[in-house]
Amino acid sequence: MEKRLEELGVSLPPNQPPLATYVSCVRSGCLVFTSGAGCFVDGKPLYTGRLGRDLTVEQGYEAAQITVLNLLSMIKAEIGNLDKIERIVKVLGLVSSADDFYDQPQVMNGASDLLVNVFGDKGKHARSALGTSVLPMNLPVEIEMVVEIREEER
């Protein structure tokens, strides 16, 4: 999968430690649950603010893509190799939104499109895209994922 990322012209960022008292990932059986992640680049948010007030849908889309790369980095640190992923099961996206912003799904398409481009059919997932009034550190998006890893890889 990392070769596929290279073909797409993107690479995984270094895995960052959690920002508080929690772990980045938890394994239960053949599932890996991630904590929420944001659009950090070199330890700083790429964007801050609310969609529909401070940021455009296109900026939110990019923030969602960067966030997914951070999530994949977290998962890789947990399982050692992204090729062990059997499928992306669920994506939960929180989008910091102005009161009259209703395009949360279009923002979250940044995450979903990247996952399908990298993993093909294994990247097709269930998804929720929710609007919220505020996120930690004024991030525009926070995303969680659930992935299935091959049984023998646990």
Short mmCIF file of all heavy atoms in Angstrom, two decimals, residues 62-97:
data_model
loop_
_atom_site.label_atom_id
_atom_site.label_comp_id
_atom_site.label_asym_id
_atom_site.label_seq_id
_atom_site.Cartn_x
_atom_site.Cartn_y
_atom_site.Cartn_z
N GLU A 62 -8.96 18.88 1.51
CA GLU A 62 -7.53 18.66 1.69
C GLU A 62 -7.20 18.32 3.14
O GLU A 62 -6.38 17.44 3.42
CB GLU A 62 -6.74 19.89 1.24
CG GLU A 62 -5.24 19.70 1.37
CD GLU A 62 -4.42 20.92 0.99
OE1 GLU A 62 -5.00 22.00 0.77
OE2 GLU A 62 -3.20 20.79 0.91
N ALA A 63 -7.86 19.00 4.09
CA ALA A 63 -7.64 18.70 5.50
C ALA A 63 -8.02 17.26 5.82
O ALA A 63 -7.33 16.57 6.57
CB ALA A 63 -8.44 19.67 6.37
N ALA A 64 -9.10 16.77 5.22
CA ALA A 64 -9.53 15.39 5.43
C ALA A 64 -8.49 14.41 4.85
O ALA A 64 -8.21 13.37 5.46
CB ALA A 64 -10.91 15.15 4.82
N GLN A 65 -7.92 14.74 3.70
CA GLN A 65 -6.89 13.87 3.11
C GLN A 65 -5.65 13.81 4.01
O GLN A 65 -5.11 12.72 4.25
CB GLN A 65 -6.50 14.37 1.73
CG GLN A 65 -7.55 14.10 0.68
CD GLN A 65 -7.07 14.46 -0.71
OE1 GLN A 65 -6.39 15.47 -0.92
NE2 GLN A 65 -7.42 13.63 -1.67
N ILE A 66 -5.19 14.95 4.49
CA ILE A 66 -4.02 14.99 5.38
C ILE A 66 -4.31 14.21 6.65
O ILE A 66 -3.45 13.47 7.16
CB ILE A 66 -3.64 16.46 5.70
CG1 ILE A 66 -3.21 17.21 4.44
CG2 ILE A 66 -2.57 16.52 6.79
CD1 ILE A 66 -2.01 16.65 3.74
N THR A 67 -5.52 14.33 7.15
CA THR A 67 -5.90 13.61 8.37
C THR A 67 -5.85 12.11 8.15
O THR A 67 -5.35 11.36 9.00
CB THR A 67 -7.30 14.06 8.84
OG1 THR A 67 -7.27 15.47 9.08
CG2 THR A 67 -7.71 13.34 10.10
N VAL A 68 -6.32 11.64 7.01
CA VAL A 68 -6.27 10.20 6.72
C VAL A 68 -4.82 9.72 6.63
O VAL A 68 -4.50 8.62 7.10
CB VAL A 68 -7.06 9.86 5.43
CG1 VAL A 68 -6.67 8.50 4.88
CG2 VAL A 68 -8.54 9.87 5.74
N LEU A 69 -3.94 10.51 6.07
CA LEU A 69 -2.52 10.11 6.03
C LEU A 69 -1.97 9.98 7.46
O LEU A 69 -1.22 9.05 7.75
CB LEU A 69 -1.71 11.11 5.22
CG LEU A 69 -1.98 11.13 3.72
CD1 LEU A 69 -1.25 12.28 3.05
CD2 LEU A 69 -1.63 9.80 3.08
N ASN A 70 -2.37 10.89 8.35
CA ASN A 70 -1.95 10.78 9.74
C ASN A 70 -2.52 9.52 10.39
O ASN A 70 -1.83 8.84 11.15
CB ASN A 70 -2.35 12.03 10.52
CG ASN A 70 -1.48 13.22 10.18
OD1 ASN A 70 -0.27 13.10 9.99
ND2 ASN A 70 -2.08 14.40 10.09
N LEU A 71 -3.76 9.20 10.08
CA LEU A 71 -4.37 7.97 10.61
C LEU A 71 -3.65 6.73 10.09
O LEU A 71 -3.39 5.79 10.86
CB LEU A 71 -5.86 7.92 10.24
CG LEU A 71 -6.75 8.87 11.01
CD1 LEU A 71 -8.09 9.03 10.30
CD2 LEU A 71 -6.96 8.39 12.44
N LEU A 72 -3.33 6.71 8.82
CA LEU A 72 -2.60 5.56 8.26
C LEU A 72 -1.23 5.42 8.90
O LEU A 72 -0.75 4.29 9.14
CB LEU A 72 -2.50 5.67 6.75
CG LEU A 72 -3.82 5.52 5.98
CD1 LEU A 72 -3.61 5.80 4.49
CD2 LEU A 72 -4.44 4.15 6.20
N SER A 73 -0.60 6.53 9.22
CA SER A 73 0.69 6.49 9.92
C SER A 73 0.52 5.88 11.31
O SER A 73 1.34 5.07 11.76
CB SER A 73 1.26 7.90 10.02
OG SER A 73 2.50 7.88 10.69
N MET A 74 -0.56 6.25 12.00
CA MET A 74 -0.85 5.67 13.32
C MET A 74 -1.07 4.16 13.21
O MET A 74 -0.55 3.38 14.02
CB MET A 74 -2.10 6.34 13.92
CG MET A 74 -1.90 7.78 14.33
SD MET A 74 -3.43 8.73 14.62
CE MET A 74 -4.46 7.64 15.58
N ILE A 75 -1.85 3.77 12.21
CA ILE A 75 -2.15 2.35 12.02
C ILE A 75 -0.88 1.58 11.68
O ILE A 75 -0.64 0.48 12.21
CB ILE A 75 -3.24 2.16 10.95
CG1 ILE A 75 -4.56 2.74 11.46
CG2 ILE A 75 -3.39 0.69 10.57
CD1 ILE A 75 -5.62 2.92 10.39
N LYS A 76 -0.05 2.14 10.82
CA LYS A 76 1.20 1.48 10.46
C LYS A 76 2.07 1.27 11.70
O LYS A 76 2.69 0.21 11.86
CB LYS A 76 1.96 2.28 9.41
CG LYS A 76 3.27 1.61 9.01
CD LYS A 76 4.05 2.41 8.02
CE LYS A 76 5.38 1.72 7.74
NZ LYS A 76 6.29 2.55 7.00
N ALA A 77 2.13 2.26 12.57
CA ALA A 77 2.92 2.12 13.80
C ALA A 77 2.37 0.99 14.67
O ALA A 77 3.13 0.29 15.35
CB ALA A 77 2.93 3.43 14.58
N GLU A 78 1.08 0.76 14.61
CA GLU A 78 0.45 -0.30 15.41
C GLU A 78 0.65 -1.69 14.81
O GLU A 78 0.93 -2.64 15.52
CB GLU A 78 -1.05 0.00 15.56
CG GLU A 78 -1.83 -1.05 16.32
CD GLU A 78 -1.49 -1.14 17.80
OE1 GLU A 78 -1.00 -0.14 18.38
OE2 GLU A 78 -1.70 -2.22 18.38
N ILE A 79 0.50 -1.81 13.47
CA ILE A 79 0.52 -3.14 12.86
C ILE A 79 1.77 -3.44 12.06
O ILE A 79 1.97 -4.57 11.62
CB ILE A 79 -0.74 -3.38 11.99
CG1 ILE A 79 -0.76 -2.46 10.76
CG2 ILE A 79 -2.01 -3.24 12.82
CD1 ILE A 79 -1.89 -2.74 9.77
N GLY A 80 2.61 -2.44 11.83
CA GLY A 80 3.89 -2.66 11.17
C GLY A 80 3.92 -2.48 9.67
O GLY A 80 4.94 -2.09 9.12
N ASN A 81 2.82 -2.73 8.99
CA ASN A 81 2.82 -2.69 7.53
C ASN A 81 1.37 -2.52 7.06
O ASN A 81 0.51 -3.32 7.44
CB ASN A 81 3.41 -4.00 6.99
CG ASN A 81 3.54 -4.02 5.49
OD1 ASN A 81 2.76 -3.39 4.77
ND2 ASN A 81 4.52 -4.75 5.00
N LEU A 82 1.13 -1.54 6.22
CA LEU A 82 -0.24 -1.30 5.75
C LEU A 82 -0.78 -2.42 4.88
O LEU A 82 -2.00 -2.52 4.68
CB LEU A 82 -0.31 0.04 5.00
CG LEU A 82 -0.04 1.29 5.83
CD1 LEU A 82 -0.15 2.53 4.96
CD2 LEU A 82 -0.96 1.38 7.03
N ASP A 83 0.09 -3.27 4.34
CA ASP A 83 -0.38 -4.40 3.54
C ASP A 83 -1.17 -5.40 4.37
O ASP A 83 -1.85 -6.27 3.82
CB ASP A 83 0.79 -5.09 2.85
CG ASP A 83 1.39 -4.22 1.75
OD1 ASP A 83 0.65 -3.42 1.14
OD2 ASP A 83 2.61 -4.33 1.53
N LYS A 84 -1.09 -5.30 5.68
CA LYS A 84 -1.84 -6.20 6.57
C LYS A 84 -3.31 -5.81 6.67
O LYS A 84 -4.12 -6.55 7.21
CB LYS A 84 -1.22 -6.20 7.97
CG LYS A 84 0.19 -6.76 8.00
CD LYS A 84 0.77 -6.66 9.41
CE LYS A 84 2.19 -7.18 9.44
NZ LYS A 84 2.76 -7.07 10.80
N ILE A 85 -3.67 -4.64 6.13
CA ILE A 85 -5.06 -4.19 6.20
C ILE A 85 -5.89 -5.00 5.21
O ILE A 85 -5.62 -5.03 4.02
CB ILE A 85 -5.17 -2.68 5.91
CG1 ILE A 85 -4.49 -1.90 7.03
CG2 ILE A 85 -6.64 -2.27 5.76
CD1 ILE A 85 -4.45 -0.40 6.80
N GLU A 86 -6.91 -5.65 5.74
CA GLU A 86 -7.85 -6.42 4.93
C GLU A 86 -8.89 -5.51 4.29
O GLU A 86 -9.28 -5.70 3.15
CB GLU A 86 -8.53 -7.48 5.79
CG GLU A 86 -9.40 -8.44 5.03
CD GLU A 86 -8.63 -9.30 4.04
OE1 GLU A 86 -7.46 -9.65 4.29
OE2 GLU A 86 -9.21 -9.62 2.98
N ARG A 87 -9.34 -4.53 5.08
CA ARG A 87 -10.29 -3.55 4.55
C ARG A 87 -10.47 -2.40 5.51
O ARG A 87 -10.24 -2.54 6.70
CB ARG A 87 -11.64 -4.17 4.20
CG ARG A 87 -12.56 -4.42 5.37
CD ARG A 87 -13.98 -4.76 4.95
NE ARG A 87 -14.53 -3.64 4.22
CZ ARG A 87 -15.40 -3.75 3.21
NH1 ARG A 87 -15.82 -4.92 2.84
NH2 ARG A 87 -15.85 -2.69 2.60
N ILE A 88 -10.89 -1.26 4.98
CA ILE A 88 -11.30 -0.12 5.80
C ILE A 88 -12.77 -0.37 6.12
O ILE A 88 -13.59 -0.52 5.21
CB ILE A 88 -11.12 1.22 5.05
CG1 ILE A 88 -9.71 1.37 4.48
CG2 ILE A 88 -11.51 2.37 5.95
CD1 ILE A 88 -8.59 1.38 5.50
N VAL A 89 -13.09 -0.44 7.39
CA VAL A 89 -14.45 -0.80 7.80
C VAL A 89 -15.33 0.44 7.97
O VAL A 89 -16.42 0.51 7.42
CB VAL A 89 -14.42 -1.61 9.13
CG1 VAL A 89 -15.84 -1.92 9.62
CG2 VAL A 89 -13.62 -2.89 8.95
N LYS A 90 -14.85 1.42 8.75
CA LYS A 90 -15.69 2.57 9.10
C LYS A 90 -14.84 3.82 9.22
O LYS A 90 -13.73 3.77 9.73
CB LYS A 90 -16.38 2.28 10.45
CG LYS A 90 -17.15 3.43 11.07
CD LYS A 90 -18.47 3.67 10.41
CE LYS A 90 -19.21 4.78 11.17
NZ LYS A 90 -20.48 5.09 10.64
N VAL A 91 -15.38 4.92 8.76
CA VAL A 91 -14.77 6.23 8.92
C VAL A 91 -15.81 7.14 9.56
O VAL A 91 -16.94 7.23 9.09
CB VAL A 91 -14.32 6.81 7.55
CG1 VAL A 91 -13.84 8.24 7.70
CG2 VAL A 91 -13.24 5.94 6.93
N LEU A 92 -15.40 7.80 10.64
CA LEU A 92 -16.25 8.79 11.30
C LEU A 92 -15.56 10.13 11.17
O LEU A 92 -14.42 10.30 11.62
CB LEU A 92 -16.44 8.45 12.78
CG LEU A 92 -17.08 9.55 13.63
CD1 LEU A 92 -18.51 9.83 13.17
CD2 LEU A 92 -17.05 9.18 15.10
N GLY A 93 -16.23 11.09 10.55
CA GLY A 93 -15.66 12.41 10.36
C GLY A 93 -16.46 13.48 11.06
O GLY A 93 -17.68 13.56 10.90
N LEU A 94 -15.78 14.27 11.85
CA LEU A 94 -16.37 15.44 12.50
C LEU A 94 -15.85 16.67 11.78
O LEU A 94 -14.63 16.82 11.60
CB LEU A 94 -15.99 15.49 13.97
CG LEU A 94 -16.40 14.26 14.79
CD1 LEU A 94 -15.76 14.30 16.16
CD2 LEU A 94 -17.91 14.18 14.89
N VAL A 95 -16.75 17.55 11.37
CA VAL A 95 -16.39 18.73 10.60
C VAL A 95 -16.84 19.96 11.37
O VAL A 95 -18.04 20.14 11.63
CB VAL A 95 -17.05 18.70 9.20
CG1 VAL A 95 -16.69 19.94 8.41
CG2 VAL A 95 -16.66 17.43 8.45
N SER A 96 -15.89 20.79 11.78
CA SER A 96 -16.22 22.04 12.46
C SER A 96 -16.90 22.96 11.45
O SER A 96 -16.31 23.32 10.43
CB SER A 96 -14.94 22.68 13.01
OG SER A 96 -15.26 23.85 13.72
N SER A 97 -18.15 23.32 11.74
CA SER A 97 -19.00 23.95 10.72
C SER A 97 -19.66 25.22 11.20
O SER A 97 -20.12 25.31 12.35
CB SER A 97 -20.11 22.96 10.32
OG SER A 97 -19.58 21.74 9.87
#
